[in-house]
Amino acid sequence: MTILTLSSQVLYGHVGNAVADFTLKRLGHPVIAVPTVVLSNHKGYSDTVGEVFGPDLLRDFFSALERRGALEDLSAVQTGFIATAGQAQTIFDFLRELRQSKPDLPIIVDPVMGDKGKLYVDPGLVAVFRERVPSLATLITPNAFEAQTLAGHDPSTLDDLLDPLIAGGFASGLITSAETLLSASSERAILCFENGQHQIIRHPGLSFARDPNGVGDFVAALSAGLHGQGTLAERTERIASALVALLTATQQAGGPELALVTAQDQWVQALG
C-alpha cells in the first residue's frame, strides 16, 4: 500500500523527500511524494535557490490526487519540512479530512523547526504544530530541540520534557539527538515514548567535520515504513541500527551527503 510523504524536494543531495521517497521505495512501498518547496540543495551549503509552494498549489495537488483515486489505498502519511504557517494549516486541514475517511490511518509528523538550539523556520509554525498536530499525529519524530520547543521549555529531566508533551496531546513519539538530554557520553540516543512509558535506545556516535543533513528525514521515513511492525521500542532499535550503518558508510565515503543510495544494502540489512 502507498505512503504519502509531504516535505521539501532538493535537486542535489539527500534531505526531505529525496530521503523519504528512496527509503520507502527501498522498503517496498509505493510512494507519493508531494513537495512543499523545491530547492537546488539544502541550506547547509553556501547558497540555495528555489521556490516555496503556496497553500493554493498544495490544495490543487491534493485535489488532483483525489481525482486520480491515488489516495484510496494509503497505508501511512509522513510529513517533513513545512515552510510556512499557511502551508501547515492547509496540510493539516487536508490530513484532518483524510483522517475522517480513514480513522486508522497512521500519520507520522516530523515537526521540522530547528536544531542545536536554533529555530530556522517561521516562528508562527511552532503554534500551529502545538495546536494542530496532537489531534492528527499517530507518532511525532522531533529532534531534542524540536521536542523542547513543542514542550515550551528547557527540561532538567526527561519527565520535565515528556510530561508537558503528553499533556499537550503528543501521545507517542520518537525523539532523536536524545543524548543532549542525558549525562555526557560518547554514545548517541533515541528516546521513544508511548502509553505513558519511555525507553532510551543508545547507539554509537560517529564524528563528522559537519554533521550530514537528512538524518531526521531518514528516521521519520523508517518510522512510517515500519509502522505497525512490533512495538515502538523494537522499531526504534531497528531504526537505530540502520542509522548507524548509514552513517558509518557516509563517514567512509567522505562526501558531504548521506550515502543513502550507495549504502542501501548495508542499512537495509541492519534493519533486520
Side-chain angles (χ1 to χ4, degrees):
M1 295 179 72
T2 302
I3 294 179
L4 173 67
T5 175
L6 305 102
S7 191
S8 59
Q9 182 66 51
V10 293
L11 306 183
Y12 171 77
H14 292 108
V15 297
N17 276 344
V19 171
D21 189 27
F22 182 83
T23 299
L24 292 168
K25 285 177 178 174
R26 186 62 180 80
L27 297 183
H29 298 284
V31 177
I32 298 173
V34 176
T36 55
V37 301
V38 173
L39 302 174
S40 56
N41 45 264
H42 66 69
K43 294 187 177 182
Y45 290 96
S46 59
D47 67 284
T48 304
V49 298
E51 185 173 350
V52 176
F53 289 171
D56 289 343
L57 182 55
L58 288 178
R59 278 191 287 267
D60 289 344
F61 284 158
F62 300 147
S63 295
L65 289 171
E66 289 171 342
R67 291 195 298 274
R68 302 290 83 76
L71 306 178
E72 293 177 1
D73 70 340
L74 289 183
S75 60
V77 176
Q78 181 228 319
T79 74
F81 180 76
I82 298 173
T84 68
Q87 271 192 350
Q89 295 288 10
T90 297
I91 289 170
F92 295 146
D93 285 346
F94 166 68
L95 294 182
R96 180 183 61 194
E97 294 171 6
L98 266 185
R99 175 56 61 71
Q100 289 172 349
S101 62
K102 304 176 184 295
D104 297 324
L105 179 68
I107 297 176
I108 288 80
V109 174
D110 185 6
V112 179
M113 294 182 285
D115 197 9
K116 299 177 181 176
K118 182 180 180 181
L119 194 71
Y120 51 62
V121 297
D122 174 3
L125 270 172
V126 177
V128 178
F129 279 127
R130 287 175 179 162
E131 293 167 6
R132 300 295 305 273
V133 172
S135 63
L136 293 170
T138 308
L139 179 80
I140 59 172
T141 61
N143 60 40
F145 170 74
E146 291 160 346
Q148 292 169 328
T149 301
L150 291 175
H153 71 288
D154 293 330
S156 57
T157 67
L158 289 182
D159 287 340
D160 285 343
L161 174 64
L162 294 178
D163 288 348
L165 285 176
I166 294 170
F170 299 101
S172 180
L174 188 159
I175 301 173
T176 59
S177 304
E179 68 276 359
T180 61
L181 306 170
L182 306 171
S183 300
S185 170
S186 61
E187 290 184 312
R188 301 293 181 93
I190 302 175
L191 170 65
C192 59
F193 68 94
E194 66 177 346
N195 300 323
Q197 304 294 318
H198 72 266
Q199 186 167 336
I200 297 168
I201 309 298
R202 298 181 183 271
H203 62 86
L206 288 90
S207 297
F208 294 87
R210 180 180 65 81
D211 288 339
N213 292 64
V215 168
D217 300 307
F218 182 67
V219 170
L222 289 179
S223 295
L226 299 177
H227 187 80
Q229 300 182 24
T231 66
L232 178 58
E234 289 169 343
R235 295 195 300 275
T236 304
E237 291 270 14
R238 295 174 64 191
I239 289 169
S241 295
L243 178 59
V244 171
L246 174 59
L247 290 177
T248 299
T250 299
Q251 185 185 64
Q252 292 170 348
E257 297 285 340
L258 288 174
L260 182 72
V261 177
T262 56
Q264 59 183 288
D265 290 341
Q266 291 97 307
W267 63 256
V268 169
Q269 184 178 15
L271 277 174

